Amino acid sequence: MPTHEPELSEPYYGGDFYDGGTYDRTPPGATIQYFYTEDDGYSYDPDAPGEVEWLTEAVAAGPDVGWSDDAERRRTGEAILRHYFAREPTRDELDTFMEEIAPSLQDGQPFAIGTDVLRNAGLDR
């Protein structure tokens, strides 16, 4: 699983599962979110670390979101790359995601993929 320990305030994509609702019969599903911080113009001081306030943007959510097989990993990659590039990903970009990043996504396990991981895979904006 691609783990991500945010370097100071580096943005990342995170996916996690949720249980369905008992009373409203909502089915279980998953969410994919983009985690980021606002650039406030101040640099991080390692001698006086503070809590990083993470903001989020929804990328995908629902009972049809998951990453248990190649088809689901491909849809997850499409959602992440669509958000990352602010456009539809090309076939080559999606193939790169499937080759470099998707194999580490584990069924039933949350994930975190830093934007540096995307860049290191050759997925530059």
Side-chain angles (χ1 to χ4, degrees):
M1 171 171 93
T3 58
H4 178 65
E5 296 296 327
E7 279 286 324
L8 311 179
S9 60
E10 178 188 357
Y12 67 97
Y13 291 89
D16 203 356
F17 293 91
Y18 60 85
D19 293 329
T22 304
Y23 300 108
D24 64 1
R25 299 183 192 260
T26 307
T31 62
I32 301 171
Q33 295 183 25
Y34 176 64
F35 294 83
Y36 66 100
T37 61
E38 288 187 351
D39 182 4
D40 60 7
Y42 295 97
S43 61
Y44 178 80
D45 182 357
D47 295 326
E51 289 291 319
V52 174
E53 183 179 346
W54 291 101
L55 305 173
T56 61
E57 287 180 18
V59 175
D64 58 337
V65 175
W67 41 91
S68 63
D69 59 30
D70 281 343
E72 288 184 355
R73 287 183 194 103
R74 189 168 204 81
R75 285 193 301 273
T76 294
E78 287 171 345
I80 289 172
L81 294 178
R82 184 179 308 112
H83 183 273
Y84 179 68
F85 290 123
R87 61 168 170 77
E88 289 297 319
T90 66
R91 178 182 216 141
D92 288 343
E93 291 164 342
L94 190 51
D95 287 347
T96 298
F97 182 92
M98 291 301 293
E99 291 170 13
E100 300 292 325
I101 298 166
S104 61
L105 300 178
Q106 301 291 317
D107 181 27
Q109 298 295 314
F111 69 82
I113 302 168
T115 55
D116 65 325
V117 172
L118 297 173
R119 283 191 308 274
N120 291 341
L123 297 166
D124 294 321
R125 295 188 238 202

